Amino acid sequence: MNELDSEIIAGILTKRGLSETTDETLADLLIFNTCSIRDLAERKVMGKLGKLGRQKKRDRIIGVTGCMANAKKEAIFQKLPHVDFILGTNNIHDLNCLLDEVILTGAQSIRTDEEFTQELDYIAAKRQDKSKAYVSIIRGCDKYCTYCVVPYTRGPEVSRTPQSILEECRELVAQGYKEISLLGQNVNSYGKDKPEWKYLFHDLLYEIDKIEGLNRVRFLTSHPVDISRELMGAIRDLPSLCEQVHFPLQAGSNRILKKMHRLYTKEEYFEKVALLKELVPDVALGTDIIVGFPTETDEEFEETYEAMRQVRYATSFLYTYSPRKGTPAMRWVDDIPESIKAERHQRLLDLHREISSELMAEKLGQEVEVLVEKRSKDGNYLRGLTRCWRHVLFEGADSCIGSIQTVKLTGYSHQTWMGQMGKASIETL
Ligand code: SAH
Ligand code: SF4
């Protein structure tokens, strides 16, 4: 979501006539699009901003956008008086106004609305990638997991109209994009805040699938409680929808899940995973897991470990618990020592590596569909992405970049496949 917001901000600034520089010392305007999800992310930005403040003063504008803007508000000005403006996650549309204000008056400015109310210029987003694009379908979150700052920094759920989403998807396909990732904190909530539309997430997927020339659709992320049978059916039936689902477990113990306010039990979660695997046998599952949540015992951690072993996730984002100001979990002492959090985290990382190697070994010799993205860093290979969200390196001509090819999987190293482009694909080039 932050990446897309950065692309939208870059789009607004490009329309204004600014050009991008990768050399920070040359910039007249520096914007930090921040994340508040864990303390480390915030400390990095504060450190970097602090350093800028200690440098020799020069005539440039510094802005803070993203979740930290909403989480810290004016406190940023108090700590970092050289910051010129603060623009919250729900105020990206105000960027030009705010810049004008800062330039005209030289005074510090701030906008941090609680709720997202105004449509953004998505079409103008300055996208980094030429074949894959993010499309925002719902902003905010109403789930209020007890550890999470997102409902406070991004506000309540607000679905974007289907017309606007479909229009953007069609425009992207016309521009040559082959893959679209639909974005939201919880995409499965799509439409629930607008009951009068009578239009839910799977309805949107069925319409997007009809867009000619769009090869792939993914979505992230989805809350397990809202992963419905209809959605699973859509993954099975719609040719464009990739067989990959981020299905964030967070913890394997029912007591911890309840304390996290995740709204499902381990058993309910397993039942949904079993149904999805039955309907879409080739599905690649992903997860987010937090270790060291307040009061998590060794036995409860073992339940998370076992759940990971049982589900066999292809991708895992593993976190150690980080207390966030303003969240309900701040009521509880962060009682798990950092050393134990680190140990649990490492054990899950090791398990993930083991499982992902097994999953990769099982697929050796198979042919997969690859979206060719670019040349590898060393220049020797083409690099592409499978429908299941794995990278593949293989030999081929630059003319393949941006196209979909069939590649036979011949080996793997860490999380990346090695492959060989199918003979038929080479002949049609
Ligand atoms: N809406 C998404 C999550 C967005 S935040 C979802 O529910 O799946 C991405 C991940 O960051 C979360 O899934 C969680 O695993 C992690 N996270 C959020 N708050 C955290 C915290 N306080 N400490 C550690 N990890 C956290
Ligand atoms: Fe945070 Fe939970 Fe919302 Fe995800 S669903 S953004 S973890 S509150």
Side-chain angles (χ1 to χ4, degrees), residues 215-424:
N215 302 71
R216 293 175 172 190
V217 177
R218 310 180 188 275
F219 52 86
L220 68 155
T221 75
S222 34
H223 192 294
V225 85
D226 293 323
I227 296 186
S228 60
R229 205 193 157 93
E230 285 96 334
L231 176 60
M232 297 185 201
I235 301 168
R236 179 194 55 197
D237 298 337
L238 299 181
S240 67
L241 207 51
C242 291
E243 300 72 27
Q244 176 234 347
V245 181
H246 194 62
F247 214 134
L249 173 67
Q250 308 296 357
S253 129
N254 283 338
R255 190 186 70 89
I256 296 291
L257 283 172
K258 194 162 181 215
K259 215 172 155 68
M260 285 178 162
H261 189 61
R262 283 297 285 181
L263 308 166
Y264 51 85
T265 61
K266 174 168 79 173
E267 292 74 22
E268 286 162 350
Y269 178 93
F270 283 158
E271 237 169 71
K272 287 202 173 180
V273 167
L275 181 60
L276 179 57
K277 283 185 174 175
E278 187 191 316
L279 294 177
V280 190
D282 245 4
V283 72
L285 294 176
T287 194
D288 290 356
I289 287 177
I290 301 175
V291 297
F293 191 70
T295 73
E296 182 188 62
T297 63
D298 283 342
E299 292 72 29
E300 285 166 340
F301 167 71
E302 292 307 325
E303 287 187 74
T304 303
Y305 190 88
E306 269 317 305
M308 223 176 129
R309 187 195 286 291
Q310 200 171 321
V311 180
R312 301 183 85 216
Y313 298 104
T315 44
S316 302
F317 296 94
L318 309 171
Y319 306 93
T320 54
Y321 171 67
S322 167
R324 310 310 296 131
K325 220 167 145 189
T327 61
M330 281 294 283
R331 292 198 300 264
W332 304 306
V333 182
D334 178 22
D335 59 347
I336 310 298
E338 291 305 314
S339 59
I340 294 192
K341 285 184 189 169
E343 202 179 290
R344 291 177 184 172
H345 187 243
Q346 189 57 48
R347 279 195 57 208
L348 289 188
L349 274 175
D350 293 343
L351 178 62
H352 171 66
R353 271 195 209 111
E354 194 186 307
I355 293 169
S356 105
S357 296
E358 284 169 12
L359 291 173
M360 291 178 94
E362 283 166 16
K363 289 227 167 349
L364 281 179
Q366 290 187 12
E367 288 195 333
V368 293
E369 181 204 286
V370 172
L371 171 59
V372 190
E373 295 178 297
K374 55 182 167 189
R375 208 149 259 295
S376 62
K377 273 194 193 127
D378 61 12
N380 295 333
Y381 301 100
L382 292 176
R383 187 171 185 265
L385 192 67
T386 67
R387 289 177 69 88
C388 289
W389 213 56
R390 277 236 191 267
H391 283 111
V392 191
L393 296 177
F394 53 97
E395 283 179 9
D398 280 352
S399 54
C400 296
I401 293 173
S403 69
I404 302 257
Q405 300 293 339
T406 303
V407 173
K408 185 170 177 179
L409 302 174
T410 55
Y412 62 93
S413 167
H414 303 291
Q415 306 286 317
T416 306
W417 290 108
M418 291 305 297
Q420 228 166 32
M421 199 149 69
K423 205 162 160 265

Side-chain angles (χ1 to χ4, degrees), residues 37 140-152 157 185-186 221-223 248 250 260-262 288 290:
I37 204 79
C141 182
D142 289 346
K143 286 283 186 280
Y144 290 92
C145 302
T146 53
Y147 51 80
C148 185
V149 79
V150 169
Y152 312 97
E157 285 170 358
Q185 291 306 333
N186 179 15
T221 75
S222 34
H223 192 294
Q250 308 296 357
M260 285 178 162
H261 189 61
R262 283 297 285 181
D288 290 356
I290 301 175

